[in-house]
Amino acid sequence: MKKVLSIALALAMSLTLLFGCGDGETSTPATDGGSTPAVDTGAIEEGAKLVYWPMWAETEPQGMVIAEAIEAFTEATGVEVEVNFAGSRDTRKTLQPALDAGETIDVFDEDIERVNITWGDYLLDIQEMYDASELNGAQNAP
């Protein structure tokens, strides 16, 4: 269960990093009085959409948790998430042709070694974004 929660939280943090940049103002997350931080949606464009290919099938426990996390993310941000719940075997067969064809896939996950070796050329280097972000303690982060 910890692994599933870690995956869901990593996805949520990745999505926040992708859509949380924009207006150049530094801010800290506000809370809605509960234990979850409120999401600042000011930098998210209306009608924003994210395409995500998880390595899990929708019927697997991990897929169910991811589906719940996506639903909560969409509700909090208004960002539509298009998900391809193909499962690991089918994702391995279909991801390469989709990437080669230039299909838009914003986020995908798989075994880290397979990702780096097989699909590393398709990945964005987000080091500069991280270095300039509040996650790294940078002042005046975007």
Side-chain angles (χ1 to χ4, degrees):
M1 187 62 174
K2 286 183 181 180
K3 185 175 182 178
V4 173
L5 183 57
S6 296
I7 291 170
L9 290 174
L11 173 63
M13 290 185 337
S14 298
L15 297 175
T16 302
L17 181 63
L18 286 171
F19 288 100
C21 303
D23 64 5
E25 294 181 18
T26 302
S27 62
T28 55
T31 58
D32 58 5
S35 60
T36 338
V39 177
D40 176 10
T41 59
I44 299 173
E45 294 180 29
E46 188 174 329
K49 178 178 146 185
L50 181 73
V51 178
Y52 172 46
W53 285 35
M55 65 184 279
W56 307 104
E58 193 170 14
T59 55
E60 295 177 290
Q62 298 90 335
M64 291 180 209
V65 170
I66 288 170
E68 288 179 28
I70 289 169
E71 185 178 321
F73 175 79
T74 298
E75 185 178 311
T77 64
V79 175
E80 175 192 348
V81 180
E82 180 184 310
V83 186
N84 178 7
F85 278 114
S88 61
R89 286 193 177 117
D90 287 338
T91 297
R92 289 178 194 154
K93 293 176 190 173
T94 59
L95 183 60
Q96 186 70 47
L99 292 170
D100 287 342
E103 187 171 332
T104 299
I105 302 171
D106 298 305
V107 179
F108 65 87
D109 59 62
E110 238 299 348
D111 175 83
I112 189 64
E113 288 184 33
R114 186 173 292 108
V115 168
N116 287 331
I117 293 168
T118 307
W119 301 300
D121 291 340
Y122 297 95
L123 305 178
L124 273 175
D125 182 357
I126 61 170
Q127 186 64 48
E128 286 181 27
M129 289 172 48
Y130 171 75
D131 290 342
S133 77
E134 292 177 10
L135 295 172
N136 192 31
Q139 301 295 321
N140 301 321

